[in-house]
């Protein structure tokens, strides 16, 4: 029998009362174990196939499972929806043997008639891959992850060998392929649900009312207010300790912390670095910190003058006091970046020497490039707190102050987060503040996804619009061998080319910090798969 609300600790009572209002539920319904997670924004969708937004990935992770899954340290673990798999000696053929009796969620539109099978894996790939697939053009889907990871040309075939056996044949060997399968855009979807919605004439609901096999199922979503999930009794790994999981959408960083302290939230993401010391001293709160496996950067639009000139890009780099910028924006939560991959990732080239802060040399380069009087540019900055950039506005202001001293005038611009993400991939802006947190433990997820020639397109992740044949050769050669030493050599050379050509001004690698209340148990700050499985709340 659930505990009466009055017997719960004060923080749980407060959180329950708040969420009863948020989700339109009675207080009695929250007598079960409920965890309130203060997140920073609205998801763009409930399907990671159609959005590269970290906020979206964060919202869908509790709903879905993948063929293979990843440990917090980035290692592939053989414990996903594929019970086992084999890889041919030439690295081209992957056979996956699916678990039996994996149940899908249900909702008011759909009750599954069968467990997961090979048809669901086929649907997951073919919707993104095949332009004639019935769902390919449903909604505003552009499948940017699928494209920018190179899968349209990598895949030769995806075949059903039996109800629980899938064979994936590649066009060429691809060392990061298993790691790609552990990414959210390849979470396995329900083909039966897709068919049901298509027959009902409502395929547009597929990405809004998700059906997965994850530890929680979606109950409701109210924009700017909350997402409510409930534990899935039929979860293939077993029913999880929490009964209810609620994402309280709270863009303001100070408000998130106030909610945590008052007990309205039990977990909050991205606390202000300046507050970490105070949080650490609070006996009711716990800080979870780890290497963020990320990079914040300012991308130069290398296809627009004057930024198409490498001398100008270097001049801008030399004119910015990076150490002062990082100290001001990150406090103790970040270190200056010099490469397009984070220091904790294998193949990181620490031998590269970062450009110094040298305004005199910056002015000389601008004169050499034909701009003795300088010029004007726009700089777009992130409007919300991101794990890789706590304050885009503050960073942009510091960059503007620095560049004005060498004759470069900046106009600062931003938009709402959803519009920002859409617009910066169109290629119209001069310079853009952005960043990336790795989705898997492979350098390919940074170097190929963010900087390959194939990602130079509207909607593509290469917002620097930079296509360099020497760089492309190195990252492509690194993909087709499984020899780690050879891959490392190619990636280190690619970083040298990146440094020389300067398509970005790398800003910082940050520490990912999550704060939670003491009564939250078994919470792990897992940047690869935060699905809240195993998390509990201690009832006193």
């Amino acid at each position: 029998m659930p505990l009466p609300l009055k017997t719960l600790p004060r923080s749980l009572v407060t959180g329950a009362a708040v969420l009863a209002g948020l989700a339109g539920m009675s207080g009695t319904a929250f007598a079960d174990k409920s965890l309130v997670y203060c997140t920073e924004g609205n998801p763009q969708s409930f399907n990671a196939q159609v959005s590269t937004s970290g906020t979206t990935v964060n919202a869908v992770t509790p709903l879905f499972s993948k063929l293979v899954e990843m440990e917090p340290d980035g290692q592939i673990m053989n414990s996903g929806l594929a019970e086992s798999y084999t890889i041919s000696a030439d690295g081209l053929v992957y056979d996956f043997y699916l678990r039996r009796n994996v149940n899908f969620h249900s909702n008011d539109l759909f009750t599954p008639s069968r467990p997961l099978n090979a048809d669901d894996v086929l649907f997951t790939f073919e919707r993104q891959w095949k332009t004639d697939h019935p769902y390919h053009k449903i909604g505003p889907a552009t499948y940017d992850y699928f494209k920018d990871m190179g899968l349209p040309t990598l895949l030769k075939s995806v075949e059903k060998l039996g109800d629980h056996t899938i064979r994936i044949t590649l066009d060429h060997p691809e060392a990061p392929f298993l790691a790609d399968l552990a990414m959210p855009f390849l979470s396995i979807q329900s083909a039966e649900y897709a068919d049901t919605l298509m027959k009902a004439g409502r395929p547009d609901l597929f990405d809004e009312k998700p059906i997965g096999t994850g530890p929680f199922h979606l109950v409701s979503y109210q924009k700017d207010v909350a997402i409510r999930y409930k534990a899935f009794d039929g979860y293939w790994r077993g029913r999880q300790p929490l009964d209810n999981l609620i994402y309280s959408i709270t863009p303001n960083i100070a408000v998130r912390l106030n909610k945590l302290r008052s007990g309205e939230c039990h977990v909050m993401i991205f606390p202000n670095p300046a507050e970490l010391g105070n949080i650490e001293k609070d006996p009711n709160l716990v800080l979870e910190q780890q290497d963020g496996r990320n990079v914040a950067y300012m991308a130069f639009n290398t296809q627009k003058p004057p930024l198409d000139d490498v001398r100008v890009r270097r001049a801008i780099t030399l004119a910015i006091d990076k150490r002062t910028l990082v100290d001001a924006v990150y406090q103790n939560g970040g270190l200056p970046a010099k490469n397009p991959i984070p220091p904790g990732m294998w193949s990181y080239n620490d031998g590269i020497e970062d450009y110094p802060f040298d305004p005199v040399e910056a002015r000389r380069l601008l004169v050499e490039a034909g701009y003795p009087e300088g010029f004007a540019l726009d700089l777009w900055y992130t409007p919300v707190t991101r794990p890789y950039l706590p304050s885009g506005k503050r960073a942009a202001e510091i960059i503007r102050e620095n560049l004005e001293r060498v004759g470069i005038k900046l106009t600062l611009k931003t938009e709402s987060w959803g519009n920002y993400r859409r617009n910066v991939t169109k290629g119209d802006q001069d310079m853009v503040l952005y960043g990336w947190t790795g989705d898997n433990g492979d350098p390919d997820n940074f170097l190929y996804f963010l900087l390959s020639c194939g990602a130079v397109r509207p909607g593509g992740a290469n917002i620097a619009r930079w296509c360099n044949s020497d760089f492309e050769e190195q990252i492509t050669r690194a993909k087709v061998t499984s020899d780690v030493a050879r891959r490392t050599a190619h990636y280190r050379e690619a970083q040298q080319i990146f440094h020389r050509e300067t398509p970005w001004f790398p800003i910082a690698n940050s520490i990912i910090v999550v704060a939670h209340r003491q009564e939250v148990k078994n919470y792990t700050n897992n940047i690869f798969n935060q699905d809240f499985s195993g998390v509990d709340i201690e009832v006193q």
Side-chain angles (χ1 to χ4, degrees), residues 275-397:
E275 290 284 355
L276 297 185
N278 292 330
I279 294 172
E280 210 160 21
K281 294 173 186 175
D282 191 325
N284 296 313
L285 304 181
V286 176
L287 280 177
E288 302 278 356
Q289 304 184 61
Q290 71 167 52
D291 177 2
R293 301 287 182 96
N294 62 24
V295 61
Y297 58 89
M298 181 172 69
F300 302 116
N301 190 333
T302 60
Q303 295 185 354
K304 288 184 69 175
L307 298 171
D308 58 342
D309 189 326
V310 68
R311 293 171 296 181
V312 171
R313 301 196 298 270
R314 287 180 188 163
I316 292 173
T317 296
L318 291 164
I320 300 171
D321 185 350
K322 186 184 296 187
R323 167 54 72 180
T324 298
L325 187 161
V326 172
D327 287 347
V329 174
Y330 293 83
Q331 308 286 323
N332 296 319
L335 295 171
K338 62 181 180 180
N339 291 329
I341 64 175
M345 182 163 281
W346 63 270
S347 82
Y348 181 80
N349 192 339
D350 199 31
I352 290 173
E353 185 175 345
D354 199 9
Y355 290 104
F357 173 49
D358 191 344
V360 173
E361 176 64 9
R363 291 190 193 94
R364 189 196 71 76
L365 282 172
L366 290 175
V367 171
E368 181 182 305
Y371 301 98
E373 304 301 322
F375 44 80
L377 297 171
D378 59 41
L379 170 59
W380 288 72
Y381 65 87
T382 49
V384 295
T385 301
R386 302 305 304 146
Y388 46 75
L389 187 57
S391 175
K393 183 178 181 181
R394 181 68 180 125
E397 290 170 344

Side-chain angles (χ1 to χ4, degrees), residues 208-226:
E208 298 176 19
K209 303 190 71 169
I211 292 291
T213 61
F216 294 88
H217 65 89
L218 182 68
V219 175
S220 63
Y221 166 51
Q222 186 176 353
K223 186 178 179 181
D224 299 324
V225 179

